Amino acid sequence: RKEVEQDPGPFNVPEGATVAFNCTYSNSASQSFFWYRQDCRKEPKLLMSVYSSGNEDGRFTAQLNRASQYISLLIRDSKLSDSATYLCAVHTGGFKTIFGAGTRLFVKA
Amino acid sequence: DGGITQSPKYLFRKEGQNVTLSCEQNLNHDAMYWYRQDPGQGLRLIYYSQIVNDFQKGDIAEGYSVSREKKESFPLTVTSAQKNPTAFYLCASSKGVLDRLTDTGELFFGEGSRLTVL
């Protein structure tokens, strides 16, 4: 079993749609959780950190469920510019960060 | 501006040749990392270093080597022993365990080096 698993993509949604991505992790000692955005042929950039209390940044909401070892990202009112690959990342007790395979999102007009 | 600089951006090499990818950061971060990304896949950890003169193998270290002689620099050598070296290589840094109080674990990435072996 992979340490970090994400929903297989791609997701094709119309502008204005709400889309949710899920991610599970296997190491219960994991300490920090993140969502990164990666545009085609570019480096990943931090989108949001994920906290147990949940956090929101504009149209983006991230949630963490430690009991189920599950992370989610919700994007509301999708824009064309949201088209990208979204990577779930887990910072483990071994002081390293493990990434999921990524979920590709296509938002169409 | 602080950041991470990787070079070269694009590199072509013949099979059997070793190549070294450069990574320099001026963020004063203790921790540095090398990841490999293949098309349509996530990032896989090659090596990481939490402090100068110390580094650990990641999940796919075979065929690679690194050094950490200076805090700012973490070069990666792709050796001829690496069976499928063609990939996108990403260097990253974070504050690291020596700065536990303020380190969130966030990674800062360079723009990547795209290696093609012919």
Side-chain angles (χ1 to χ4, degrees):
Chain A
R1 182 188 172 190
K2 290 183 182 174
E3 286 190 72
V4 179
E5 296 203 64
Q6 290 187 239
D7 281 341
F11 282 48
N12 291 285
V13 303
E15 268 189 298
T18 295
V19 60
F21 301 137
N22 299 314
C23 175
T24 57
Y25 61 96
S26 60
N27 186 344
S28 58
S30 298
Q31 298 170 341
S32 308
F33 309 89
F34 307 90
W35 284 101
Y36 285 80
R37 172 192 167 126
Q38 185 176 27
D39 292 300
C40 192
R41 300 178 73 82
K42 298 283 192 183
E43 76 275 20
K45 293 188 177 170
L46 182 68
L47 179 66
M48 299 179 78
S49 299
V50 189
Y51 306 115
S52 296
S53 54
N55 49 310
E56 188 173 313
D57 183 3
R59 298 181 293 108
F60 298 83
T61 301
Q63 294 275 358
L64 165 64
N65 183 322
R66 282 192 184 270
S68 302
Q69 296 181 200
Y70 170 94
I71 306 158
S72 65
L73 176 69
L74 185 77
I75 305 176
R76 290 181 298 278
D77 188 23
S78 299
K79 311 289 184 198
L80 293 175
S81 57
D82 292 334
S83 297
T85 297
Y86 291 84
L87 297 161
C88 169
V90 175
H91 189 61
T92 70
F95 310 118
K96 58 182 184 177
T97 299
I98 305 296
F99 285 81
T103 302
R104 195 95 183 264
L105 172 65
F106 294 98
V107 181
K108 51 189 191 296
Chain B
D1 281 337
I4 300 182
T5 302
Q6 287 187 242
S7 63
K9 264 190 139 172
Y10 299 94
L11 185 59
F12 296 87
R13 279 293 181 266
K14 291 182 181 177
E15 263 191 53
Q17 289 182 327
N18 290 359
V19 298
T20 296
L21 307 180
S22 167
C23 178
E24 303 277 331
Q25 54 100 357
N26 60 4
L27 297 166
N28 198 32
H29 284 171
D30 288 302
M32 296 187 75
Y33 310 81
W34 274 105
Y35 288 90
R36 168 186 172 136
Q37 187 175 36
D38 293 283
Q41 298 192 32
L43 282 63
R44 291 185 291 166
L45 184 62
I46 304 173
Y47 269 98
Y48 61 106
S49 167
Q50 291 288 335
I51 195 170
V52 174
N53 292 322
D54 188 45
F55 47 82
Q56 286 77 42
K57 292 181 179 180
D59 300 315
I60 55 164
E62 186 175 345
Y64 299 98
S65 66
V66 293
S67 63
R68 187 87 189 274
E69 296 174 4
K70 296 187 299 181
K71 185 175 182 177
E72 303 79 21
S73 179
F74 192 41
L76 173 75
T77 297
V78 185
T79 75
S80 55
Q82 168 48 233
K83 291 186 173 57
N84 296 298
T86 294
F88 186 41
Y89 290 89
L90 286 156
C91 179
S93 71
S94 68
K95 286 187 176 179
V97 296
L98 296 183
D99 199 357
R100 289 173 200 268
L101 289 179
T102 61
D103 180 28
T104 62
E106 178 187 352
L107 294 179
F108 296 79
F109 285 90
E111 292 186 336
S113 293
R114 209 165 285 277
L115 172 64
T116 303
V117 174
L118 306 170

